[in-house]
Amino acid sequence: MARCQLCMKLVVLRDSVLAYNAETGAGDGFSFWDYNAGVLTNILRMAKSVYADQPKVYAKLQQHAMVKDFDWHHSAAEYLKGYQRILGKA
């Protein structure tokens, strides 16, 4: 797998990942809030830097991300709860 592909797997939108905090080491990837090219570019640069310069940190982020539950059944249940709240049934 190419380096860019490895890097991109940990760069996602904010609803899927806890953003990496370089000061505390917390997080499981890289995320962004402002949907514009400049912010995305900065996040990609940060992810690339961690991948290239801090392989142990990057491996830890990967491990944290891999234990998260992205099963569709979980997501579907959350959508159902949301729809029920909107309809006043929850």
Side-chain angles (χ1 to χ4, degrees):
M1 187 176 289
R3 285 185 175 179
C4 288
Q5 289 174 321
L6 287 172
C7 191
M8 285 301 295
K9 289 188 179 288
L10 291 180
V11 178
V12 295
L13 298 177
R14 65 181 172 181
D15 63 345
S16 302
V17 71
L18 176 61
Y20 170 62
N21 182 324
E23 292 180 19
T24 67
D28 53 24
F30 304 90
S31 64
F32 54 98
W33 312 109
D34 296 325
Y35 303 111
N36 68 61
V39 171
L40 177 58
T41 299
N42 289 336
I43 291 299
L44 288 171
R45 285 183 179 142
M46 180 181 178
K48 181 182 175 206
S49 173
V50 171
Y51 176 79
D53 302 331
Q54 302 174 55
K56 289 182 181 179
V57 171
Y58 192 85
K60 184 179 173 183
L61 292 171
Q62 285 180 309
Q63 291 298 316
H64 286 174
M66 289 179 359
V67 298
K68 291 180 90 171
D69 180 9
F70 291 108
D71 185 287
W72 177 244
H73 291 94
H74 176 73
S75 298
E78 292 301 312
Y79 275 109
L80 182 59
K81 286 179 193 175
Y83 293 138
Q84 288 173 336
R85 276 194 303 273
I86 290 169
L87 297 173
K89 295 183 178 182

